[in-house]
Amino acid sequence: MTDFRRLLAVAAAPIGILLLILTAGAGAAHAQTVIVRKVTPGASIEVSINNAPGGSTKSEAGGDVVLPIKMFTGTGKLETDSQVLVALCDGNVIRVHFLERGHSMPPEERGCARRDMGGWFVLKPVSTIVVDVGGPSPTMLLRQGSYSLAPPRTWSASPTGLVLFGGGSLTGVSRFKDVACGTVTDCSSGGAELGFSVGAAYWIMPFLGAEASYLRPKELTANGSGDNFRFDSTFDAHVFSAVGKIGIPAGPVRPYGQIGATYHRATLSTSQTMTDQTESPTQTYSVETGGWSWTFGGGLEVWFSSNFGIYGELNRGALKGPPVEANVEGDLDERYTAVVAGVRLKIGR
């Protein structure tokens, strides 16, 4: 019996908590909010509901005044139609009147300039009524939900001019493993490698620019073995790119595409050791190549301020060229894919 009672208590606890939350939420749901903006210092704000007092406060500092009201307490209503009148009175008094259907307008008071906010408004338990008294005549905004008094977030537009950038990269090549392993079946390669990229772009206009960059992937490796040998190969590349850029600026966000040329300097090295000989001699073959080829890609940059942003892009290109040294065989014809993400810094105005 004791265990059964404990089980009931444990089961009832979350139900009680849920009922408490619902009860509290129901009480809060029947409270509307009146916000009076641009109030002068020392002003008194008075709210009436159907010609009965609905709340009042005084603002010593002025500015924005928040006053909760309760139109639905004890009525069981979920919404109502109401007229809204705003009166600016002598003595620095602001009166906001809510009148449901069937209730007559209060007589205009001497020394008050009263304005009907225009027609009938649907007020609900979650309504927020924002009255701005800072202009020549009061204006009103009705929002079915909360209203933030925080100033709206302003975003910087995508900049023009000189932009420096740098970030991390993940670079893979398509043919290195095939070239390094050849016909050897027991051969593996590390695949894509991390690295970095730096450069500078100059946006002539928000949608047109040019860029020069340097991509430095980590050295790629491959190793394998056969019946009487083993080998290790490395591919070490430096990639320089010059591209034209076309962007589609949308405020602080600028997607872009780019196309241009690459120049590479790369070294492909292979060390092979014969394992069927006593001294296990090792032979090393190395060829350095260089040359121009093509590249294209695209990305997206987002600017959080006028001089700081982040970016991400995907680039595809070729590394093609003959050996740098004369009388050496081994042209390079490789394809690479690079994913880059980092930061951009606008220089100057």
Side-chain angles (χ1 to χ4, degrees):
M1 182 64 70
T2 302
D3 292 341
F4 179 71
R5 289 176 179 174
R6 288 178 179 174
L7 180 60
L8 286 178
V10 172
I15 297 175
I17 294 173
L18 178 60
L19 290 175
L20 181 62
I21 293 173
L22 291 176
T23 302
H30 289 282
Q32 294 74 48
T33 303
V34 174
I35 301 176
V36 184
R37 307 208 65 182
K38 301 177 184 176
V39 175
T40 57
S44 296
I45 294 90
E46 300 175 0
V47 175
S48 69
I49 301 172
N50 299 327
N51 296 316
S56 64
T57 187
K58 186 171 184 177
S59 174
E60 298 295 342
D64 298 327
V65 178
V66 180
L67 183 63
I69 62 172
K70 295 183 179 180
M71 292 189 65
F72 297 96
T73 302
T75 66
K77 295 180 180 179
L78 296 179
E79 64 178 47
T80 188
D81 293 337
S82 176
Q83 287 181 291
V84 182
L85 310 175
V86 178
L88 306 181
C89 303
D90 294 341
N92 208 6
V93 178
I94 302 168
R95 293 190 175 98
V96 182
H97 303 279
F98 294 93
L99 297 170
E100 295 181 277
R101 293 185 186 274
H103 293 271
S104 60
M105 288 190 181
E108 283 203 54
E109 299 177 79
R110 181 176 298 179
C112 292
R114 191 172 72 187
R115 182 183 177 190
D116 187 338
M117 291 295 100
W120 295 88
F121 298 92
V122 177
L123 301 182
K124 300 181 179 182
V126 295
S127 296
T128 301
I129 301 92
V130 184
V131 177
D132 191 327
V133 297
S137 60
T139 59
M140 192 193 85
L141 168 69
L142 172 62
R143 186 180 183 90
Q144 304 299 353
S146 61
Y147 179 85
S148 175
L149 292 172
R153 175 69 183 267
T154 57
W155 295 89
S156 299
S158 300
T160 57
L162 180 62
V163 175
L164 303 182
F165 60 87
S169 66
L170 182 64
T171 306
V173 295
S174 59
R175 303 179 181 179
F176 168 64
K177 182 178 179 181
D178 294 337
V179 172
C181 296
T183 59
V184 178
T185 57
D186 185 12
C187 183
S188 61
S189 176
E193 292 289 353
L194 295 174
F196 67 90
S197 176
V198 295
Y202 192 89
W203 287 92
I204 305 168
M205 291 178 281
F207 58 87
L208 182 64
E211 179 180 290
S213 64
Y214 167 62
L215 175 66
R216 181 70 167 105
K218 184 180 177 182
E219 185 179 77
L220 302 175
T221 61
N223 56 77
S225 61
D227 294 337
N228 57 359
F229 66 91
R230 66 175 184 273
F231 67 90
D232 297 283
S233 295
T234 60
F235 180 68
D236 190 25
H238 302 259
V239 184
F240 304 88
S241 299
V243 299
K245 303 171 74 75
I246 296 179
I248 307 176
V253 179
R254 178 161 51 195
Y256 57 86
Q258 55 192 31
I259 187 170
T262 63
Y263 179 80
H264 86 277
R265 290 296 292 265
T267 302
L268 177 63
S269 300
T270 299
S271 296
Q272 180 173 297
T273 302
M274 306 303 296
T275 58
D276 61 347
Q277 300 182 24
T278 304
E279 297 182 358
S280 299
T282 299
Q283 294 182 332
T284 300
Y285 172 80
S286 179
V287 58
E288 183 179 3
T289 60
W292 289 92
S293 192
W294 52 265
T295 183
F296 68 91
L300 178 74
E301 59 185 32
V302 180
W303 291 89
F304 295 101
S305 68
S306 59
N307 57 6
F308 175 79
I310 61 175
Y311 76 101
E313 63 183 33
L314 173 66
N315 295 310
R316 178 90 168 131
L319 308 176
K320 298 182 66 174
V324 174
E325 298 181 5
N327 302 321
V328 176
E329 296 183 357
D331 290 1
L332 179 67
D333 188 2
E334 183 63 89
R335 303 290 182 269
Y336 76 90
T337 301
V339 178
V340 184
V343 299
R344 296 192 187 273
L345 299 175
K346 169 72 169 64
I347 304 301
R349 295 182 178 181

